[in-house]
């Protein structure tokens, strides 16, 4: 399948390894956020118990139900506002619509649902990048998004590197 001339790719489609490293970075960040939130919930439960305040359910138990919400908000908010999560930013990647802008909130939720579907079938949806002509994973196809290298970031890095090499 050939890509249309107005595609935001123009030879900038991100590869599998770069996307994988970004994904692992994001997974570590989300896990840390969840761990810190869980620690705070347990700490507050202990404080309530010390103060002899009775509750129907512990905050830690309630927090367990909030974990998927925290993870979903991390991805959807970052994709919708900036087109990138922290992991994608670190790797110089950006998620875009066919028009080159960050995905809408709705499209980001579809992409997130696609993340789950891509993972359910032995992570095959992620590996699809290796065989797809546009380097799109299943979740990219579902949400009609692209993951591209953000050359504006790499050109800034090159300018900064060049300035430091010249003694500036």
């Amino acid at each position: 399948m050939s890509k249309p001339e107005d595609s935001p790719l123009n030879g900038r489609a991100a590869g599998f390894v770069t996307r994988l490293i970004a994904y692992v970075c994001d997974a570590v960040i989300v896990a840390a956020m969840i761990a810190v939130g869980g620690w705070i919930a347990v700490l507050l439960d202990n404080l309530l118990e010390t103060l002899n305040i009775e509750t129907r359910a512990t905050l830690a138990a309630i927090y367990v139900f909030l974990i998927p919400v925290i993870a979903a908000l991390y991805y959807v908010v970052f994709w919708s506002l900036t087109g990138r999560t922290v992991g994608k930013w670190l790797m110089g990647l950006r998620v875009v619509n066919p028009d080159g802008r960050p995905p809408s909130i709705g499209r980001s939720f579809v992409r997130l649902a696609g993340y789950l579907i891509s993972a359910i079938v032995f992570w095959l949806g992620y590996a699809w990048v290796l065989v797809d002509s546009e380097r799109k994973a299943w979740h990219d196809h579902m949400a009609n998004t692209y993951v591209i290298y953000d050359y504006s970031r790499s050109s800034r890095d090159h300018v900064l590197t060049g300035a430091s090499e010249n003694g500036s």
Side-chain angles (χ1 to χ4, degrees), residues 36-168:
V36 168
W39 178 77
I40 291 170
V42 169
L43 187 68
L44 290 174
D45 275 339
N46 290 339
L47 178 64
L48 291 175
E49 185 178 328
T50 303
L51 298 172
N52 290 324
I53 298 173
E54 296 278 331
T55 59
R56 288 182 174 248
T58 65
L59 294 175
I62 294 168
Y63 181 73
V64 169
F65 290 101
L66 293 177
I67 289 173
V69 174
I70 292 167
L73 286 176
Y74 172 81
Y75 289 104
V76 169
V77 168
F78 275 114
W79 288 334
S80 299
L81 292 179
T82 66
R84 57 174 68 175
T85 56
V86 174
K88 286 194 176 20
W89 174 78
L90 288 171
M91 296 309 297
L93 304 177
R94 185 178 297 276
V95 179
V96 295
N97 285 335
D99 63 6
R101 292 182 303 172
S104 66
I105 291 174
R107 193 176 294 231
S108 294
F109 272 112
V110 170
R111 191 169 198 278
L112 182 64
Y115 256 35
L116 298 174
I117 293 168
S118 292
I120 286 174
V121 187
F122 307 108
W123 302 93
L124 184 60
Y126 290 96
W128 198 255
V129 170
L130 295 168
V131 298
D132 190 85
S133 64
E134 294 182 307
R135 292 186 177 174
K136 291 176 79 168
W138 289 356
H139 46 274
D140 295 315
H141 282 286
M142 291 175 66
N144 194 21
T145 56
Y146 298 87
V147 178
I148 60 172
Y149 291 108
D150 185 9
Y151 290 135
S152 63
R153 176 177 172 210
S154 61
S155 64
R156 281 195 314 268
D157 292 345
H158 176 69
V159 169
L160 293 174
T161 305
S164 65
E165 290 174 357
N166 294 331
S168 302

